[in-house]
Amino acid sequence: MNVQIGCARTEDVASIFALLEKSGLPQEGLSDHIRTTLVARSDEKIIGCVAIELYGSAALLRSVAVDKAWRGQGLGQQLTQAALDLAQEHKVKTVYLLTETANEFFARFGFRSISRSEVVPDVKRSVEFTTVCPERATVMGIEIISPQKGASRV
Ligand SMILES: CC(C)(COP(=O)(O)OP(=O)(O)OC[C@H]1O[C@@H](n2cnc3c(N)ncnc32)[C@H](O)[C@@H]1OP(=O)(O)O)[C@@H](O)C(=O)NCCC(=O)NCCS
């Protein structure tokens, strides 16, 4: 498949929002983090996305979505790994996420379920935590150790 993963451009926002809507994921707050949003393109069409929100040495991974027609081909995992690599480039130590449906998908990367009280305050003040994700959403976290060692559990 001829798919490229790279940085989102400002003009991609409408396509990303459409993909998030179709995937049942929130759009709120994402436009403040377009510089750390990645997209998968096939012939210039956006078929996947993922974003990290940076909060110093912590980050929130969000908006992992793949167009239905492209699912099951490894793209979701490639996007997630690319976002973790991006977090590492920004010297992030801990990455958090909220999910209602995809715990097992993220567990493949070493994310583990944690309680909200374990999340650093800056991340807890994010739009996802305060506004769009319900209390029942699972909170997960992973500690990134070093490029050599990869990521390990919190
Ligand atoms: C989750 C999602 C991004 C996966 O994308 P994808 O390109 O199909 O993923 P991949 O092809 O890399 O991986 C597929 C594997 O993940 C598993 N998987 C996919 N969605 C899953 C989910 N919600 N929970 C657990 N496992 C899941 C598949 O069963 C498959 O397993 P296999 O390798 O053993 O066959 C995609 O299904 C999607 O966009 N879902 C809607 C949005 C969403 O729920 N995002 C995650 C929460 S932010």
Side-chain angles (χ1 to χ4, degrees):
M1 63 179 174
N2 182 23
V3 176
Q4 273 104 39
I5 293 177
C7 296
R9 307 171 195 139
T10 317
E11 61 268 27
D12 294 332
V13 171
S15 304
I16 294 169
F17 278 18
L19 177 58
L20 291 178
E21 189 174 11
K22 277 192 280 180
S23 305
L25 297 180
Q27 305 159 342
E28 288 88 342
L30 183 64
S31 46
D32 294 333
H33 301 276
I34 288 300
R35 290 173 66 176
T36 47
T37 297
L38 301 172
V39 291
R41 293 176 207 275
S42 171
D43 294 332
E44 285 303 305
K45 182 180 186 288
I46 289 178
I47 56 167
C49 61
V50 65
I52 53 166
E53 298 185 9
L54 294 172
Y55 300 97
S57 64
L60 179 68
L61 177 75
R62 62 171 291 179
S63 304
V64 189
V66 171
D67 186 298
K68 273 193 181 139
W70 289 84
R71 288 181 191 169
Q73 300 178 53
L75 210 45
Q77 290 171 84
Q78 284 178 47
L79 282 161
T80 304
Q81 189 56 56
L84 290 173
D85 292 346
L86 182 62
Q88 202 156 45
E89 283 170 31
H90 283 275
K91 309 220 180 311
V92 165
K93 291 194 177 129
T94 313
V95 181
Y96 301 95
L97 64 83
L98 285 158
T99 183
E100 286 184 78
T101 56
N103 314 23
E104 288 171 22
F105 176 81
F106 292 113
R108 292 173 179 219
F109 296 86
F111 278 93
R112 69 171 183 91
S113 298
I114 57 174
S115 67
R116 286 187 181 232
S117 61
E118 290 178 68
V119 179
V120 295
D122 282 350
V123 172
K124 267 196 282 201
R125 283 192 285 268
S126 66
V127 173
E128 280 229 329
F129 265 85
T130 56
T131 316
V132 290
C133 282
E135 278 294 316
R136 66 175 179 274
T138 303
V139 185
M140 302 184 86
I142 189 173
E143 190 175 332
I144 298 174
I145 292 184
S146 75
Q148 289 76 33
K149 290 180 185 167
S152 80
R153 292 177 174 194
V154 173

